[in-house]
Amino acid sequence: MKIENQVTLEFPSRSANEGFARTAAACFAAQLDPTLEEVNDIKTAVSEAVTNAIVHAYPETLGRIVLKLRIREGHALEMIVRDWGVGIDDVDKARTPLFTTGSEERSGMGFTIMESFMDTLKVRSAPGKGTTVTMVRKIACRAGR
């Protein structure tokens, strides 16, 4: 699918940047004229992906996170969150509801939440090399647009 517009943001894995990332994604998506529900779904999914990178990829240190946002043909918003942290040993296991490598306050629902709000979710990871989460959400074309 052809890219119609894109932006790339890079920031350190500080928890304060999670709010920035979700807001940036919502602002970028605004050009597709999404509904409030669609905006909230986008913000939630980006928040989960960035929080995973902050908490799990760099548990003991600050690292680098890149958020790529792309508008693709057919009113599709693609969101890619990449880190170069510890990586995931078993992606299938990590995508299992309630599984977490974090402390007991972590719910283990991040991937499940992302998947429930997106049309597609892909997770690529390699131990010691980092993780890339790619999410796509088609934005409904409303009458009059």
Side-chain angles (χ1 to χ4, degrees):
M1 290 188 334
K2 179 183 167 197
I3 297 172
E4 296 178 353
N5 196 9
Q6 64 183 336
V7 66
T8 301
L9 305 169
E10 183 175 333
F11 47 90
S13 61
R14 296 185 189 281
S15 59
N17 289 328
E18 175 273 328
F20 168 73
R22 66 186 275 130
T23 301
C27 290
F28 186 77
Q31 64 194 289
L32 293 172
D33 194 24
T35 64
L36 187 56
E37 181 180 347
E38 289 168 330
V39 170
N40 286 333
D41 291 352
I42 290 161
K43 289 167 65 176
T44 300
V46 168
S47 177
E48 291 294 334
V50 170
T51 297
N52 275 359
I54 292 168
V55 170
H56 300 290
Y58 304 108
E60 303 295 327
T61 185
L62 278 180
R64 182 175 113 192
I65 299 172
V66 168
L67 171 64
K68 290 183 180 182
L69 303 165
R70 296 176 175 154
I71 303 294
R72 294 195 171 268
E73 288 179 311
H75 281 286
L77 175 66
E78 180 181 59
M79 297 154 283
I80 301 167
V81 177
R82 182 168 185 210
D83 67 66
W84 289 262
V86 300
I88 301 170
D89 288 326
D90 185 339
V91 171
D92 290 334
K93 186 174 182 181
R95 289 181 71 163
T96 303
L98 304 178
F99 176 82
T100 183
T101 59
S103 62
E104 64 272 354
E105 74 233 11
R106 309 305 317 169
S107 71
M109 294 297 290
F111 286 129
T112 303
I113 291 168
M114 286 179 247
E115 193 165 35
S116 71
F117 289 124
M118 295 291 110
D119 294 313
T120 62
L121 171 70
K122 294 179 186 170
V123 182
R124 287 188 4 240
S125 191
K129 295 185 179 179
T131 302
T132 301
V133 175
T134 303
M135 303 175 283
V136 176
R137 174 69 184 257
K138 289 190 178 187
I139 303 302
C141 214
R142 296 182 288 168
R145 276 205 259 192

